[in-house]
Amino acid sequence: MARPTPLSGFPELLPADRFAEQHVLDHLRRTFELHGFAPIETRAVEPMDQLLRKGEIDKEVYVLRRLQAAEGEGDAGVGLHFDLTVPFARYVLEHAGKLEFPFRRYQIQKVWRGERPQEGRFREFVQADIDVVAKDELPFHFDVEIATVMAEALSGLPVPPLRIQVNNRKLLEGFYRGLGASDPAAIMRVMDKIDKLPADAIRELLAKEDLDAAQADKCLALAAIRTPDASFADQVRALGVSDPLLDEGIEELAQLVSALSDVELDGVTVTADLRIARGLDYYTGTVFETELEGFESLGSICSGGRYEKLADDGRNVYPGVGISLGVTRLLVPLIARGHLTASRSVPSAVLVALIDEESRPASNAIAQRLRARGIPTEVAAAPQKFGKQIRYAERRGIPYVWFPAAGAGDPGADEFQRGQVKDIRSGDQVYADAGLWSPPPGDLRPAVITPLDTRGATS
């Protein structure tokens, strides 16, 4: 068999890097569950009519078709989901009678999208979503809760600093209404391109929406406002535009930013950024985007917002608010550039040395005694010289080697669980009992390593 060629857009991680990813996923789960979010998992496929509702994604959906399908049979009418929001909307409608509302859900799952692979963009990737959905009406305080939970989940991750940028579509729509724009949604779509186009190009697009130069100047001035607190409100009002919806949006955004300023966050900053619009029209209030410092070219790695109609069965409407974190988008570029990995490629904290093949049962018994106490342990593959067994542990990153006591060939004897354990990093070696000895807590599991913290953070 020829050596296989890597398949672009479908990342695969080596064991040490997978440990780093699992550390992040475990941290996210713990945080979400601490706030009462319940885990769900949805099927990998959805009907095509559901997947194509958003329109702009229709060229990127992977369609399922049997290899042996008869000629003209076509696809099965289903495709792989490209995000977790569409499946969640269907899930809410299908299981509404069994759910208690408001329903807090988190979902960590793979999705598939047929776009051109590049740094931060993949065809198969992991997303982590949180949402709160209600029946008929969802109070604004859930917007604050969602933002707080995701900010806490991002806090302390072994990644460069993150900037959460928040805005409110009511603020934007009210401002454009107050300016006299006939189609505020069209103005939002134009202003959503402000990071991709120069100011003159934005002015030209606004002119096509019947805004004059003075109105365009105010749109650009609004987009330039960003503050770490609620002081943005005075800057908006200083532009001289008024509208009831604008006032509502200012109040909600100020409440959100003020609440987040009271949360202790490690490595995460929150900014009111009035250029953030999110191009999708179904957002109706709070909107979020998140950038990774030094990796701004990746775009937003964590985004979402408020939507008044997640799902609608004709009798009931289910509004919601949620945020989606692109886990693969966040981690794979860091791993690829050597900014993130783990201290070892195996879970084992201890390697039990092997004196000879006849003593393998005794070494296995020691290993099992350690495992029974929660210490990941493996037995040497072959009875080589102890120096070679130590080098084997070094190559795998295993910090401790256990040398069985001389004459401990009988696993039924009292001596079988005794020996000496060596920390191969420091060279320290002590007598130990497999029923009593434990490594330091930081050595029990592979530790996440970043260039900023060479000691690692226990996963």
Side-chain angles (χ1 to χ4, degrees):
M1 179 180 176
R3 184 175 181 177
T5 303
L7 193 56
S8 179
F10 295 85
E12 291 181 328
L13 301 179
L14 293 174
D17 303 329
R18 173 64 172 153
F19 276 123
E21 182 189 48
Q22 286 181 323
H23 165 77
V24 169
L25 296 177
D26 290 344
H27 172 79
L28 294 174
R29 289 188 193 98
R30 283 195 302 270
T31 306
F32 298 157
E33 291 182 5
L34 280 173
H35 286 269
F37 284 70
I40 70 166
E41 181 170 297
T42 56
R43 63 199 184 205
V45 299
E46 295 291 336
M48 292 300 296
D49 59 345
Q50 293 296 312
L51 290 174
L52 301 182
R53 282 189 307 152
K54 289 187 178 181
E56 78 280 355
I57 201 78
D58 57 355
K59 294 181 180 179
E60 300 176 4
V61 174
Y62 282 110
V63 177
L64 264 62
R65 184 176 185 274
R66 284 193 308 116
L67 180 63
Q68 301 297 329
E71 185 175 349
E73 185 175 328
D75 60 66
V78 295
L80 294 172
H81 58 225
F82 58 82
D83 73 359
L84 299 179
T85 303
V86 170
F88 181 50
R90 188 266 311 160
Y91 182 95
V92 168
L93 289 179
E94 189 169 332
H95 301 286
K98 302 174 184 177
L99 301 176
E100 290 293 330
F101 295 100
F103 177 52
R104 293 175 176 84
R105 145 278 200 186
Y106 80 86
Q107 188 171 353
I108 301 175
Q109 205 170 334
K110 284 190 174 182
V111 300
W112 295 268
R113 191 171 296 181
E115 60 182 352
R116 183 173 67 86
Q118 52 187 297
E119 185 178 53
R121 292 191 177 273
F122 307 95
R123 291 173 173 169
E124 179 183 72
F125 51 98
V126 176
Q127 285 190 185
D129 284 26
I130 55 172
D131 286 82
V132 179
V133 61
K135 195 172 181 180
D136 299 326
E137 184 178 351
L138 183 71
F140 175 74
H141 66 79
F142 287 109
D143 293 43
V144 177
E145 179 179 345
I146 278 285
T148 302
V149 174
M150 186 57 82
E152 288 186 8
L154 295 175
S155 177
L157 287 181
V159 300
L162 291 151
R163 292 188 293 267
I164 300 177
Q165 300 147 328
V166 296
N167 198 2
N168 194 294
R169 297 267 294 207
K170 293 177 184 178
L171 186 157
L172 296 177
E173 183 177 347
F175 187 87
Y176 301 142
R177 274 192 201 173
L179 274 181
S182 59
D183 188 354
I187 306 300
M188 273 189 263
R189 286 192 291 271
V190 171
M191 297 307 297
D192 193 45
K193 301 173 184 176
I194 197 165
D195 288 334
K196 302 174 184 177
L197 298 175
D200 288 344
I202 296 293
R203 292 177 190 277
E204 291 178 8
L205 292 174
L206 292 174
K208 292 179 181 179
E209 299 297 333
D210 299 324
L211 294 192
D212 60 29
Q215 291 171 317
D217 285 344
K218 290 193 174 184
C219 289
L220 291 169
L222 181 73
I225 296 173
R226 52 184 62 91
T227 67
D229 50 32
S231 62
F232 72 89
D234 292 336
Q235 296 184 40
V236 174
R237 294 189 177 102
L239 295 175
V241 177
S242 61
D243 184 89
L245 189 62
L246 171 61
D247 293 336
E248 187 178 341
I250 289 175
E251 182 181 347
E252 288 187 354
L253 184 57
Q255 184 178 336
L256 178 65
V257 174
S258 297
L260 287 171
S261 68
D262 294 333
V263 181
E264 291 187 14
L265 301 174
D266 179 14
V268 176
T269 57
V270 180
T271 304
D273 191 332
L274 304 198
R275 68 192 167 91
I276 303 300
R278 304 294 299 155
L280 300 174
D281 288 343
Y282 58 72
Y283 290 118
T284 56
T286 305
V287 285
F288 312 90
E289 288 191 357
T290 307
E291 288 185 341
L292 185 64
E293 191 172 297
F295 292 79
E296 287 80 4
S297 61
L298 297 177
S300 178
I301 53 92
C302 180
S303 55
R306 173 73 174 237
Y307 34 82
E308 292 306 325
K309 188 184 291 186
L310 170 74
D312 184 348
D313 62 6
R315 299 188 307 274
N316 301 294
V317 175
Y318 298 90
V321 58
I323 309 182
S324 175
L325 169 63
V327 177
T328 307
R329 189 174 198 176
L330 170 64
L331 299 184
V332 169
L334 296 175
I335 291 169
R337 297 191 193 184
H339 294 314
L340 182 65
T341 188
S343 58
R344 56 186 190 255
S345 60
V346 296
S348 308
V350 180
L351 175 76
V352 179
L354 195 60
I355 299 172
D356 50 40
E357 279 300 330
E358 288 70 26
S359 66
R360 183 176 291 277
S363 291
N364 284 340
I366 292 170
Q368 193 57 33
R369 190 67 178 267
L370 292 168
R371 292 181 195 123
R373 297 174 49 242
I375 303 171
T377 306
E378 63 180 89
V379 176
Q384 299 172 310
K385 291 181 179 180
F386 282 168
K388 288 187 176 181
Q389 295 187 52
I390 291 172
R391 286 193 291 275
Y392 173 83
E394 283 179 327
R395 289 196 302 272
R396 295 161 70 82
I398 302 173
Y400 296 94
V401 176
W402 186 288
F403 301 103
D410 179 7
D414 291 338
E415 292 295 317
F416 88 90
Q417 66 181 19
R418 298 190 177 93
Q420 296 184 53
V421 62
K422 182 183 185 73
D423 183 336
I424 63 175
R425 299 161 300 183
S426 66
D428 294 340
Q429 186 166 323
V430 297
Y431 287 97
D433 185 309
L436 300 173
W437 176 87
S438 293
D443 288 333
L444 272 177
R445 297 287 182 272
V448 174
I449 295 177
T450 72
L452 299 179
D453 180 11
T454 54
R455 294 171 302 167
T458 303
S459 64

